[in-house]
Amino acid sequence: MELAQYAEPKQTRSRFQNGLDQLRDCLIAMSRNAEHAVELAIEAYQLRDSERCEAVLQLERKINEDERHIDEIAIELLAMQQPMAIDLRFVAACMKINADLERVGDEAVSIARRSLNELKLPEAKLPVSIDEMAKAVAGMIRRALDAFVSKNAELANVVLEMDDIVDRMNMECCQAMVQVMKESTEVTEQALDALIVSKNLERVADHATNIAEDVIFWVRGIDVRHNATRPQVS
Amino acid sequence: MELAQYAEPKQTRSRFQNGLDQLRDCLIAMSRNAEHAVELAIEAYQLRDSERCEAVLQLERKINEDERHIDEIAIELLAMQQPMAIDLRFVAACMKINADLERVGDEAVSIARRSLNELKLPEAKLPVSIDEMAKAVAGMIRRALDAFVSKNAELANVVLEMDDIVDRMNMECCQAMVQVMKESTEVTEQALDALIVSKNLERVADHATNIAEDVIFWVRGIDVRHNATRPQVS
Protein backbone atom coordinates (compact mmCIF):
# COMPACT_ATOMS: atom_id res chain seq x y z
CA MET A 1 0.00 0.00 0.00
CA GLU A 2 2.81 2.35 0.91
CA LEU A 3 4.62 1.47 -2.30
CA ALA A 4 1.55 2.31 -4.34
CA GLN A 5 1.28 5.64 -2.58
CA TYR A 6 4.84 6.53 -3.53
CA ALA A 7 4.58 5.15 -7.06
CA GLU A 8 1.58 7.24 -8.10
CA PRO A 9 3.01 10.76 -7.62
CA LYS A 10 6.24 9.74 -9.39
CA GLN A 11 4.32 8.45 -12.36
CA THR A 12 2.13 11.58 -12.40
CA ARG A 13 5.18 13.84 -12.17
CA SER A 14 6.87 12.02 -15.01
CA ARG A 15 3.75 12.33 -17.20
CA PHE A 16 3.51 15.98 -16.23
CA GLN A 17 7.17 16.54 -17.12
CA ASN A 18 6.63 14.89 -20.50
CA GLY A 19 3.70 17.20 -21.04
CA LEU A 20 5.81 20.26 -20.24
CA ASP A 21 8.44 19.07 -22.72
CA GLN A 22 5.75 18.52 -25.36
CA LEU A 23 4.36 22.01 -24.73
CA ARG A 24 7.82 23.56 -25.14
CA ASP A 25 8.55 21.58 -28.32
CA CYS A 26 5.19 22.51 -29.88
CA LEU A 27 5.80 26.16 -29.09
CA ILE A 28 9.27 26.07 -30.65
CA ALA A 29 7.84 24.42 -33.79
CA MET A 30 5.09 27.06 -33.93
CA SER A 31 7.61 29.87 -33.54
CA ARG A 32 9.53 28.52 -36.56
CA ASN A 33 6.29 28.58 -38.57
CA ALA A 34 5.55 32.14 -37.43
CA GLU A 35 9.07 33.33 -38.23
CA HIS A 36 8.93 31.59 -41.62
CA ALA A 37 5.55 33.18 -42.37
CA VAL A 38 7.01 36.65 -41.86
CA GLU A 39 10.07 35.84 -44.00
CA LEU A 40 7.87 34.47 -46.79
CA ALA A 41 5.55 37.49 -46.62
CA ILE A 42 8.47 39.92 -46.91
CA GLU A 43 9.90 37.94 -49.83
CA ALA A 44 6.45 37.98 -51.44
CA TYR A 45 6.32 41.76 -51.02
CA GLN A 46 9.81 42.35 -52.36
CA LEU A 47 9.68 39.84 -55.23
CA ARG A 48 6.02 40.57 -56.12
CA ASP A 49 5.32 36.85 -55.89
CA SER A 50 1.73 35.63 -55.56
CA GLU A 51 2.78 32.02 -54.87
CA ARG A 52 4.61 33.09 -51.74
CA CYS A 53 1.47 35.05 -50.71
CA GLU A 54 -0.57 31.85 -51.00
CA ALA A 55 2.09 29.98 -49.00
CA VAL A 56 1.75 32.57 -46.21
CA LEU A 57 -2.03 32.09 -46.09
CA GLN A 58 -1.56 28.32 -45.85
CA LEU A 59 1.10 28.66 -43.16
CA GLU A 60 -1.16 30.94 -41.14
CA ARG A 61 -3.87 28.28 -41.10
CA LYS A 62 -1.24 25.87 -39.75
CA ILE A 63 -0.24 28.45 -37.11
CA ASN A 64 -3.88 28.81 -36.04
CA GLU A 65 -4.09 25.02 -35.64
CA ASP A 66 -0.86 25.11 -33.64
CA GLU A 67 -2.36 27.74 -31.36
CA ARG A 68 -5.44 25.68 -30.56
CA HIS A 69 -3.37 22.53 -30.04
CA ILE A 70 -0.95 24.29 -27.68
CA ASP A 71 -3.83 25.77 -25.66
CA GLU A 72 -5.33 22.32 -25.31
CA ILE A 73 -2.03 20.84 -24.14
CA ALA A 74 -1.64 23.69 -21.64
CA ILE A 75 -5.14 23.20 -20.24
CA GLU A 76 -4.62 19.44 -20.02
CA LEU A 77 -1.41 20.08 -18.06
CA LEU A 78 -3.13 22.51 -15.74
CA ALA A 79 -5.80 19.88 -15.10
CA MET A 80 -3.19 17.59 -13.58
CA GLN A 81 -3.11 17.90 -9.84
CA GLN A 82 -0.85 20.21 -7.88
CA PRO A 83 1.71 21.39 -10.40
CA MET A 84 4.46 23.43 -8.76
CA ALA A 85 4.31 27.23 -8.92
CA ILE A 86 7.25 27.46 -11.31
CA ASP A 87 5.61 24.97 -13.69
CA LEU A 88 2.42 27.00 -13.56
CA ARG A 89 4.36 30.13 -14.51
CA PHE A 90 5.92 28.22 -17.37
CA VAL A 91 2.54 27.02 -18.64
CA ALA A 92 1.07 30.52 -18.25
CA ALA A 93 4.04 32.01 -20.16
CA CYS A 94 3.56 29.41 -22.91
CA MET A 95 -0.11 30.35 -23.26
CA LYS A 96 0.80 34.01 -23.61
CA ILE A 97 3.67 33.32 -26.05
CA ASN A 98 1.26 31.12 -28.02
CA ALA A 99 -1.18 34.04 -28.41
CA ASP A 100 1.65 36.34 -29.56
CA LEU A 101 2.93 33.85 -32.13
CA GLU A 102 -0.57 33.47 -33.54
CA ARG A 103 -0.69 37.22 -34.03
CA VAL A 104 2.70 37.21 -35.71
CA GLY A 105 0.97 34.93 -38.24
CA ASP A 106 -1.81 37.53 -38.61
CA GLU A 107 0.76 40.24 -39.36
CA ALA A 108 2.38 38.00 -41.98
CA VAL A 109 -1.04 37.61 -43.61
CA SER A 110 -1.52 41.37 -43.58
CA ILE A 111 1.86 41.80 -45.34
CA ALA A 112 0.88 39.11 -47.87
CA ARG A 113 -2.37 40.99 -48.58
CA ARG A 114 -0.40 44.19 -49.21
CA SER A 115 1.85 42.19 -51.53
CA LEU A 116 -1.18 40.94 -53.48
CA ASN A 117 -2.40 44.55 -53.73
CA GLU A 118 1.02 45.56 -55.06
CA LEU A 119 0.63 43.09 -57.94
CA LYS A 120 -2.22 45.26 -59.26
CA LEU A 121 -0.01 48.37 -59.28
CA PRO A 122 3.06 49.38 -61.31
CA GLU A 123 6.33 48.67 -59.50
CA ALA A 124 7.62 51.75 -57.68
CA LYS A 125 11.14 52.52 -56.50
CA LEU A 126 10.68 53.86 -52.97
CA PRO A 127 13.30 55.35 -50.62
CA VAL A 128 12.75 52.74 -47.92
CA SER A 129 14.62 49.67 -46.69
CA ILE A 130 11.94 47.15 -45.71
CA ASP A 131 14.61 44.47 -46.00
CA GLU A 132 16.75 45.95 -43.22
CA MET A 133 13.75 46.28 -40.93
CA ALA A 134 12.59 42.73 -41.73
CA LYS A 135 16.02 41.38 -40.78
CA ALA A 136 15.98 43.25 -37.48
CA VAL A 137 12.48 41.94 -36.70
CA ALA A 138 13.38 38.34 -37.63
CA GLY A 139 16.38 38.67 -35.29
CA MET A 140 14.04 39.74 -32.48
CA ILE A 141 11.72 36.74 -32.88
CA ARG A 142 14.69 34.38 -33.11
CA ARG A 143 16.32 35.84 -29.99
CA ALA A 144 13.05 35.89 -28.03
CA LEU A 145 12.63 32.18 -28.69
CA ASP A 146 16.31 31.48 -27.99
CA ALA A 147 15.79 33.24 -24.64
CA PHE A 148 12.77 31.01 -24.04
CA VAL A 149 14.62 27.79 -24.93
CA SER A 150 17.72 28.70 -22.89
CA LYS A 151 15.78 30.35 -20.00
CA ASN A 152 17.96 33.39 -20.57
CA ALA A 153 16.53 36.64 -19.15
CA GLU A 154 19.56 38.64 -20.35
CA LEU A 155 18.96 37.61 -23.95
CA ALA A 156 15.29 38.49 -23.48
CA ASN A 157 16.42 41.96 -22.37
CA VAL A 158 18.37 42.37 -25.63
CA VAL A 159 15.07 41.87 -27.48
CA LEU A 160 13.49 44.71 -25.48
CA GLU A 161 16.36 47.00 -26.50
CA MET A 162 16.04 46.01 -30.16
CA ASP A 163 12.39 47.09 -30.12
CA ASP A 164 13.46 50.74 -29.88
CA ILE A 165 15.58 50.35 -33.02
CA VAL A 166 12.66 48.88 -34.97
CA ASP A 167 10.33 51.61 -33.68
CA ARG A 168 12.77 54.22 -35.01
CA MET A 169 13.04 52.44 -38.38
CA ASN A 170 9.25 52.37 -38.64
CA MET A 171 8.98 56.08 -37.80
CA GLU A 172 11.61 56.93 -40.44
CA CYS A 173 9.78 54.81 -43.00
CA CYS A 174 6.46 56.53 -42.19
CA GLN A 175 8.00 59.99 -42.57
CA ALA A 176 9.67 59.06 -45.86
CA MET A 177 6.47 57.55 -47.24
CA VAL A 178 4.38 60.60 -46.28
CA GLN A 179 6.89 62.71 -48.19
CA VAL A 180 6.60 60.44 -51.23
CA MET A 181 2.79 60.60 -51.08
CA LYS A 182 2.91 64.39 -51.00
CA GLU A 183 5.40 64.69 -53.86
CA SER A 184 4.51 61.77 -56.15
CA THR A 185 0.80 61.05 -56.13
CA GLU A 186 1.24 58.51 -58.93
CA VAL A 187 2.76 56.14 -56.32
CA THR A 188 0.51 57.04 -53.36
CA GLU A 189 -0.81 53.49 -53.04
CA GLN A 190 2.62 51.89 -53.28
CA ALA A 191 3.95 54.27 -50.62
CA LEU A 192 0.94 53.49 -48.44
CA ASP A 193 1.54 49.73 -48.86
CA ALA A 194 5.19 50.21 -47.81
CA LEU A 195 4.04 52.22 -44.80
CA ILE A 196 1.57 49.51 -43.78
CA VAL A 197 4.13 46.72 -44.25
CA SER A 198 6.50 48.73 -42.06
CA LYS A 199 3.79 49.06 -39.40
CA ASN A 200 3.12 45.30 -39.64
CA LEU A 201 6.80 44.60 -39.02
CA GLU A 202 6.78 47.01 -36.10
CA ARG A 203 3.89 45.01 -34.63
CA VAL A 204 5.77 41.75 -35.12
CA ALA A 205 8.57 43.40 -33.14
CA ASP A 206 6.01 44.25 -30.44
CA HIS A 207 4.99 40.60 -30.27
CA ALA A 208 8.65 39.55 -29.99
CA THR A 209 8.92 42.08 -27.16
CA ASN A 210 5.86 40.58 -25.45
CA ILE A 211 7.42 37.12 -25.76
CA ALA A 212 10.67 38.40 -24.25
CA GLU A 213 8.70 39.92 -21.37
CA ASP A 214 6.94 36.58 -20.81
CA VAL A 215 10.31 34.82 -20.72
CA ILE A 216 11.54 37.32 -18.11
CA PHE A 217 8.34 36.81 -16.07
CA TRP A 218 8.91 33.06 -16.15
CA VAL A 219 12.69 33.11 -15.54
CA ARG A 220 12.42 35.69 -12.76
CA GLY A 221 9.75 33.44 -11.30
CA ILE A 222 12.48 30.78 -11.13
CA ASP A 223 14.91 33.19 -9.47
CA VAL A 224 12.55 34.58 -6.87
CA ARG A 225 10.20 31.68 -6.38
CA HIS A 226 11.03 31.16 -2.71
CA ASN A 227 10.66 34.82 -1.82
CA ALA A 228 7.88 35.78 -4.21
CA THR A 229 4.83 37.35 -2.65
CA ARG A 230 1.85 35.75 -4.30
CA PRO A 231 -1.50 37.47 -4.53
CA GLN A 232 -4.17 36.21 -2.19
CA VAL A 233 -7.42 35.07 -3.69
CA SER A 234 -10.09 36.27 -1.27
CA MET B 1 -10.81 12.75 11.48
CA GLU B 2 -13.44 11.92 8.93
CA LEU B 3 -15.07 15.29 9.49
CA ALA B 4 -11.79 17.06 8.80
CA GLN B 5 -11.39 15.08 5.60
CA TYR B 6 -14.79 16.23 4.38
CA ALA B 7 -14.39 19.81 5.62
CA GLU B 8 -11.18 20.53 3.73
CA PRO B 9 -12.35 20.05 0.14
CA LYS B 10 -15.50 22.09 0.81
CA GLN B 11 -13.46 24.98 2.18
CA THR B 12 -11.04 24.77 -0.74
CA ARG B 13 -13.90 24.68 -3.23
CA SER B 14 -15.52 27.72 -1.65
CA ARG B 15 -12.24 29.65 -1.72
CA PHE B 16 -11.73 28.55 -5.30
CA GLN B 17 -15.24 29.70 -6.23
CA ASN B 18 -14.58 33.09 -4.61
CA GLY B 19 -11.41 33.32 -6.65
CA LEU B 20 -13.30 32.59 -9.88
CA ASP B 21 -15.80 35.33 -8.99
CA GLN B 22 -12.95 37.75 -8.26
CA LEU B 23 -11.32 36.89 -11.59
CA ARG B 24 -14.58 37.51 -13.48
CA ASP B 25 -15.21 40.83 -11.65
CA CYS B 26 -11.66 42.09 -12.30
CA LEU B 27 -12.00 41.21 -15.98
CA ILE B 28 -15.33 43.06 -16.23
CA ALA B 29 -13.79 46.13 -14.55
CA MET B 30 -10.82 45.95 -16.94
CA SER B 31 -13.11 45.68 -19.95
CA ARG B 32 -14.88 48.88 -18.87
CA ASN B 33 -11.50 50.62 -18.69
CA ALA B 34 -10.54 49.31 -22.13
CA GLU B 35 -13.87 50.36 -23.65
CA HIS B 36 -13.60 53.78 -22.00
CA ALA B 37 -10.03 54.20 -23.30
CA VAL B 38 -11.23 53.69 -26.89
CA GLU B 39 -14.15 56.10 -26.40
CA LEU B 40 -11.85 58.75 -24.92
CA ALA B 41 -9.31 58.28 -27.72
CA ILE B 42 -11.96 58.71 -30.40
CA GLU B 43 -13.30 61.83 -28.63
CA ALA B 44 -9.73 63.14 -28.42
CA TYR B 45 -9.32 62.58 -32.15
CA GLN B 46 -12.61 64.18 -33.09
CA LEU B 47 -12.45 67.12 -30.66
CA ARG B 48 -8.68 67.68 -31.08
CA ASP B 49 -8.34 67.53 -27.30
CA SER B 50 -4.90 66.94 -25.76
CA GLU B 51 -6.31 66.47 -22.25
CA ARG B 52 -8.30 63.45 -23.39
CA CYS B 53 -5.11 62.10 -25.04
CA GLU B 54 -3.34 62.35 -21.68
CA ALA B 55 -6.31 60.64 -20.00
CA VAL B 56 -5.99 57.74 -22.47
CA LEU B 57 -2.29 57.32 -21.64
CA GLN B 58 -3.12 57.26 -17.92
CA LEU B 59 -5.94 54.79 -18.43
CA GLU B 60 -3.68 52.51 -20.45
CA ARG B 61 -1.22 52.34 -17.55
CA LYS B 62 -4.15 51.28 -15.34
CA ILE B 63 -5.15 48.65 -17.94
CA ASN B 64 -1.59 47.28 -17.94
CA GLU B 65 -1.74 46.99 -14.13
CA ASP B 66 -5.12 45.26 -14.45
CA GLU B 67 -3.58 42.77 -16.88
CA ARG B 68 -0.76 41.80 -14.52
CA HIS B 69 -3.15 41.58 -11.56
CA ILE B 70 -5.58 39.34 -13.46
CA ASP B 71 -2.76 37.05 -14.62
CA GLU B 72 -1.60 36.70 -11.03
CA ILE B 73 -5.12 35.85 -9.83
CA ALA B 74 -5.46 33.29 -12.64
CA ILE B 75 -2.14 31.64 -11.80
CA GLU B 76 -3.01 31.59 -8.09
CA LEU B 77 -6.30 29.87 -8.98
CA LEU B 78 -4.57 27.34 -11.19
CA ALA B 79 -2.20 26.57 -8.31
CA MET B 80 -5.12 25.31 -6.23
CA GLN B 81 -5.44 21.59 -6.46
CA GLN B 82 -7.70 19.73 -8.86
CA PRO B 83 -9.94 22.44 -10.29
CA MET B 84 -12.62 20.99 -12.54
CA ALA B 85 -12.08 20.97 -16.30
CA ILE B 86 -14.76 23.55 -16.93
CA ASP B 87 -13.21 25.90 -14.36
CA LEU B 88 -9.87 25.48 -16.07
CA ARG B 89 -11.43 26.44 -19.38
CA PHE B 90 -12.92 29.49 -17.69
CA VAL B 91 -9.56 30.53 -16.24
CA ALA B 92 -7.83 29.90 -19.58
CA ALA B 93 -10.49 31.97 -21.39
CA CYS B 94 -10.02 34.77 -18.84
CA MET B 95 -6.26 34.79 -19.47
CA LYS B 96 -6.82 35.10 -23.19
CA ILE B 97 -9.52 37.78 -22.82
CA ASN B 98 -7.15 39.60 -20.48
CA ALA B 99 -4.45 39.72 -23.17
CA ASP B 100 -6.96 41.00 -25.74
CA LEU B 101 -8.24 43.76 -23.46
CA GLU B 102 -4.69 44.89 -22.80
CA ARG B 103 -4.20 45.23 -26.55
CA VAL B 104 -7.42 47.18 -26.89
CA GLY B 105 -5.69 49.64 -24.53
CA ASP B 106 -2.68 49.71 -26.87
CA GLU B 107 -4.92 50.56 -29.82
CA ALA B 108 -6.51 53.39 -27.81
CA VAL B 109 -3.00 54.75 -27.16
CA SER B 110 -2.20 54.53 -30.86
CA ILE B 111 -5.37 56.55 -31.64
CA ALA B 112 -4.42 59.08 -28.94
CA ARG B 113 -0.96 59.46 -30.55
CA ARG B 114 -2.58 60.13 -33.93
CA SER B 115 -4.79 62.71 -32.20
CA LEU B 116 -1.73 64.44 -30.74
CA ASN B 117 -0.19 64.46 -34.23
CA GLU B 118 -3.38 66.03 -35.59
CA LEU B 119 -2.95 68.96 -33.18
CA LYS B 120 0.18 69.95 -35.11
CA LEU B 121 -1.74 70.05 -38.40
CA PRO B 122 -4.53 72.28 -39.74
CA GLU B 123 -7.98 70.79 -39.27
CA ALA B 124 -9.17 68.97 -42.41
CA LYS B 125 -12.68 68.06 -43.46
CA LEU B 126 -12.43 64.45 -44.65
CA PRO B 127 -15.09 62.27 -46.30
CA VAL B 128 -15.00 59.62 -43.57
CA SER B 129 -17.23 58.65 -40.66
CA ILE B 130 -14.87 57.55 -37.88
CA ASP B 131 -17.72 58.15 -35.44
CA GLU B 132 -19.95 55.50 -37.02
CA MET B 133 -17.15 52.95 -37.03
CA ALA B 134 -16.23 53.78 -33.41
CA LYS B 135 -19.84 53.17 -32.34
CA ALA B 136 -19.91 49.80 -34.11
CA VAL B 137 -16.62 48.79 -32.48
CA ALA B 138 -17.73 49.91 -29.01
CA GLY B 139 -20.88 47.82 -29.52
CA MET B 140 -18.70 44.80 -30.30
CA ILE B 141 -16.63 45.11 -27.12
CA ARG B 142 -19.77 45.65 -25.05
CA ARG B 143 -21.52 42.63 -26.56
CA ALA B 144 -18.44 40.41 -26.27
CA LEU B 145 -18.28 41.16 -22.55
CA ASP B 146 -22.05 40.77 -22.16
CA ALA B 147 -21.69 37.34 -23.79
CA PHE B 148 -18.93 36.56 -21.28
CA VAL B 149 -20.97 37.69 -18.27
CA SER B 150 -24.14 35.91 -19.40
CA LYS B 151 -22.33 32.81 -20.78
CA ASN B 152 -24.17 33.46 -24.04
CA ALA B 153 -22.59 31.83 -27.11
CA GLU B 154 -25.32 33.21 -29.40
CA LEU B 155 -24.50 36.78 -28.40
CA ALA B 156 -20.82 35.97 -28.95
CA ASN B 157 -21.74 34.84 -32.47
CA VAL B 158 -23.36 38.24 -33.13
CA VAL B 159 -19.97 39.82 -32.39
CA LEU B 160 -18.33 37.61 -35.03
CA GLU B 161 -20.89 38.78 -37.60
CA MET B 162 -20.35 42.44 -36.67
CA ASP B 163 -16.64 42.06 -37.42
CA ASP B 164 -17.40 41.77 -41.14
CA ILE B 165 -19.28 45.09 -41.03
CA VAL B 166 -16.35 46.85 -39.36
CA ASP B 167 -13.91 45.29 -41.85
CA ARG B 168 -16.00 46.71 -44.69
CA MET B 169 -16.13 50.16 -43.03
CA ASN B 170 -12.35 50.09 -42.65
CA MET B 171 -11.85 49.12 -46.28
CA GLU B 172 -14.15 51.93 -47.45
CA CYS B 173 -12.30 54.40 -45.23
CA CYS B 174 -8.93 53.28 -46.63
CA GLN B 175 -10.13 53.64 -50.22
CA ALA B 176 -11.59 57.09 -49.54
CA MET B 177 -8.41 58.29 -47.80
CA VAL B 178 -6.16 57.04 -50.62
CA GLN B 179 -8.31 59.07 -53.00
CA VAL B 180 -7.96 62.16 -50.78
CA MET B 181 -4.18 61.69 -50.61
CA LYS B 182 -3.97 61.50 -54.39
CA GLU B 183 -6.17 64.54 -54.98
CA SER B 184 -5.36 66.86 -52.06
CA THR B 185 -1.72 66.53 -51.01
CA GLU B 186 -2.13 69.44 -48.59
CA VAL B 187 -4.05 67.06 -46.31
CA THR B 188 -2.00 63.88 -46.92
CA GLU B 189 -1.02 63.58 -43.25
CA GLN B 190 -4.56 64.17 -41.97
CA ALA B 191 -5.91 61.54 -44.39
CA LEU B 192 -3.17 59.13 -43.28
CA ASP B 193 -4.06 59.75 -39.62
CA ALA B 194 -7.72 58.99 -40.38
CA LEU B 195 -6.68 55.82 -42.20
CA ILE B 196 -4.53 54.69 -39.26
CA VAL B 197 -7.28 55.47 -36.71
CA SER B 198 -9.64 53.41 -38.87
CA LYS B 199 -7.15 50.52 -38.87
CA ASN B 200 -6.78 50.85 -35.08
CA LEU B 201 -10.56 50.56 -34.70
CA GLU B 202 -10.57 47.55 -37.01
CA ARG B 203 -7.99 45.93 -34.71
CA VAL B 204 -10.11 46.69 -31.65
CA ALA B 205 -12.91 44.88 -33.48
CA ASP B 206 -10.51 41.95 -34.04
CA HIS B 207 -9.84 41.82 -30.30
CA ALA B 208 -13.58 41.88 -29.58
CA THR B 209 -13.86 38.99 -32.05
CA ASN B 210 -11.10 37.09 -30.24
CA ILE B 211 -12.93 37.65 -26.93
CA ALA B 212 -16.18 36.36 -28.46
CA GLU B 213 -14.33 33.26 -29.70
CA ASP B 214 -12.91 32.68 -26.22
CA VAL B 215 -16.43 32.94 -24.77
CA ILE B 216 -17.65 30.37 -27.30
CA PHE B 217 -14.72 28.06 -26.44
CA TRP B 218 -15.59 28.32 -22.77
CA VAL B 219 -19.40 28.05 -23.13
CA ARG B 220 -19.11 25.12 -25.55
CA GLY B 221 -16.88 23.53 -22.91
CA ILE B 222 -19.81 23.87 -20.52
CA ASP B 223 -22.19 22.32 -23.07
CA VAL B 224 -19.98 19.41 -24.01
CA ARG B 225 -18.33 18.79 -20.66
CA HIS B 226 -19.81 15.31 -20.29
CA ASN B 227 -18.88 14.22 -23.82
CA ALA B 228 -15.71 16.17 -24.44
CA THR B 229 -12.75 14.32 -25.86
CA ARG B 230 -9.69 15.81 -24.26
CA PRO B 231 -6.27 15.81 -25.86
CA GLN B 232 -3.81 13.30 -24.48
CA VAL B 233 -0.48 14.52 -23.17
CA SER B 234 2.01 11.87 -24.17
Side-chain angles (χ1 to χ4, degrees):
Chain A
M1 187 62 190
E2 264 187 30
L3 266 177
Q5 275 176 341
Y6 280 106
E8 183 55 24
K10 260 194 190 171
Q11 194 185 12
T12 306
R13 176 69 199 154
S14 163
R15 188 165 163 246
F16 186 74
Q17 194 57 52
N18 287 344
L20 292 178
D21 292 346
Q22 188 193 2
L23 182 61
R24 190 202 55 216
D25 293 347
C26 285
L27 209 60
I28 292 168
M30 183 187 184
S31 77
R32 294 212 176 105
N33 284 336
E35 196 184 335
H36 187 46
V38 175
E39 276 169 7
L40 265 176
I42 291 295
E43 284 172 14
Y45 174 73
Q46 290 179 314
L47 303 173
R48 302 170 66 85
D49 176 358
S50 64
E51 280 184 23
R52 280 183 172 86
C53 293
E54 186 47 49
V56 172
L57 301 186
Q58 276 184 17
L59 201 48
E60 197 248 356
R61 283 191 284 273
K62 174 81 185 68
I63 291 168
N64 288 347
E65 281 169 24
D66 288 346
E67 189 204 16
R68 281 191 293 273
H69 182 58
I70 286 169
D71 266 342
E72 291 291 334
I73 296 172
I75 291 170
E76 172 73 11
L77 278 167
L78 294 173
M80 294 185 182
Q81 56 178 313
Q82 287 177 289
M84 290 157 64
I86 188 60
D87 293 335
L88 279 174
R89 281 189 179 263
F90 172 75
V91 176
C94 286
M95 289 174 80
K96 290 170 84 70
I97 292 171
N98 189 29
D100 273 298
L101 289 175
E102 191 269 332
R103 278 157 200 178
V104 169
D106 290 344
E107 298 301 330
V109 165
S110 177
I111 295 171
R113 293 224 170 99
R114 287 300 104 198
S115 309
L116 285 173
N117 191 51
E118 281 292 293
L119 295 177
K120 300 177 205 153
L121 305 167
E123 195 166 356
K125 189 87 189 147
L126 298 169
V128 61
S129 177
I130 290 291
D131 194 41
E132 196 188 341
M133 195 170 166
K135 276 182 191 147
V137 170
M140 285 178 70
I141 305 179
R142 178 68 55 93
R143 278 186 180 83
L145 261 292
D146 283 352
F148 171 71
V149 172
S150 59
K151 301 181 190 176
N152 187 336
E154 276 179 46
L155 188 55
N157 265 318
V158 172
V159 176
L160 306 191
E161 287 163 21
M162 288 173 77
D163 193 38
D164 292 337
I165 298 168
V166 172
D167 280 348
R168 204 189 58 232
M169 285 176 169
N170 176 48
M171 201 184 299
E172 285 169 1
C173 172
C174 286
Q175 285 167 351
M177 290 308 99
V178 168
Q179 208 54 35
V180 168
M181 285 187 245
K182 279 173 175 283
E183 290 166 4
S184 318
T185 53
E186 73 281 6
V187 291
T188 293
E189 282 174 271
Q190 292 91 326
L192 183 59
D193 279 338
L195 186 149
I196 291 173
V197 168
S198 170
K199 282 183 89 68
N200 289 136
L201 285 175
E202 190 253 338
R203 285 193 182 250
V204 173
D206 284 346
H207 291 300
T209 301
N210 291 342
I211 292 169
E213 284 172 350
D214 289 332
V215 171
I216 292 168
F217 159 85
W218 166 48
V219 174
R220 284 204 183 142
I222 292 173
D223 291 337
V224 300
R225 68 190 184 277
H226 296 299
N227 307 323
T229 54
R230 298 172 75 193
Q232 287 303 307
V233 172
S234 59
Chain B
M1 186 63 191
E2 264 186 33
L3 266 176
Q5 276 176 341
Y6 280 105
E8 184 55 24
K10 260 192 188 171
Q11 193 185 12
T12 305
R13 176 72 196 151
S14 163
R15 190 167 161 245
F16 186 74
Q17 193 57 51
N18 288 343
L20 292 177
D21 292 346
Q22 188 192 2
L23 182 60
R24 189 200 58 215
D25 293 347
C26 285
L27 209 60
I28 293 167
M30 184 187 182
S31 77
R32 295 213 175 104
N33 284 336
E35 196 184 336
H36 187 45
V38 174
E39 276 169 7
L40 266 176
I42 290 295
E43 284 172 15
Y45 174 73
Q46 290 179 313
L47 303 173
R48 301 170 66 84
D49 176 358
S50 64
E51 280 183 23
R52 280 183 171 85
C53 294
E54 186 47 48
V56 172
L57 301 186
Q58 276 184 19
L59 200 50
E60 198 248 355
R61 284 191 284 274
K62 174 79 185 67
I63 291 168
N64 288 347
E65 281 170 25
D66 287 346
E67 188 204 17
R68 282 191 292 273
H69 182 57
I70 286 169
D71 266 342
E72 291 292 333
I73 295 172
I75 291 171
E76 172 73 11
L77 279 167
L78 295 173
M80 293 184 183
Q81 55 177 313
Q82 288 178 288
M84 289 159 64
I86 190 61
D87 294 333
L88 280 174
R89 281 189 177 262
F90 172 75
V91 177
C94 286
M95 288 174 80
K96 290 169 84 69
I97 292 170
N98 189 29
D100 274 298
L101 289 175
E102 191 268 334
R103 278 157 201 178
V104 168
D106 290 345
E107 298 300 331
V109 165
S110 176
I111 295 170
R113 292 222 171 99
R114 287 299 104 200
S115 309
L116 285 173
N117 190 51
E118 281 292 294
L119 294 177
K120 300 177 204 153
L121 305 167
E123 195 166 354
K125 191 86 189 149
L126 299 169
V128 62
S129 177
I130 291 291
D131 194 42
E132 196 188 342
M133 194 171 168
K135 275 181 191 148
V137 170
M140 285 178 71
I141 305 180
R142 178 68 55 91
R143 278 186 181 82
L145 262 291
D146 283 352
F148 171 70
V149 172
S150 59
K151 301 180 190 177
N152 187 336
E154 276 179 44
L155 189 55
N157 265 319
V158 172
V159 176
L160 306 191
E161 287 163 21
M162 289 174 77
D163 193 38
D164 292 338
I165 298 168
V166 171
D167 280 348
R168 204 189 60 232
M169 286 177 170
N170 176 49
M171 202 184 298
E172 284 168 2
C173 173
C174 285
Q175 284 167 351
M177 290 308 99
V178 168
Q179 207 54 35
V180 168
M181 285 187 247
K182 279 174 176 282
E183 290 166 5
S184 319
T185 53
E186 73 281 6
V187 292
T188 294
E189 283 175 271
Q190 292 92 326
L192 182 59
D193 280 339
L195 187 149
I196 292 173
V197 168
S198 170
K199 281 185 90 69
N200 289 135
L201 284 175
E202 190 254 337
R203 284 191 183 252
V204 173
D206 284 346
H207 291 300
T209 301
N210 290 342
I211 291 170
E213 284 172 351
D214 290 332
V215 171
I216 292 168
F217 160 87
W218 166 49
V219 174
R220 281 199 186 144
I222 293 172
D223 293 339
V224 302
R225 68 191 181 277
H226 297 299
N227 312 320
T229 54
R230 299 174 74 193
Q232 287 305 307
V233 172
S234 60

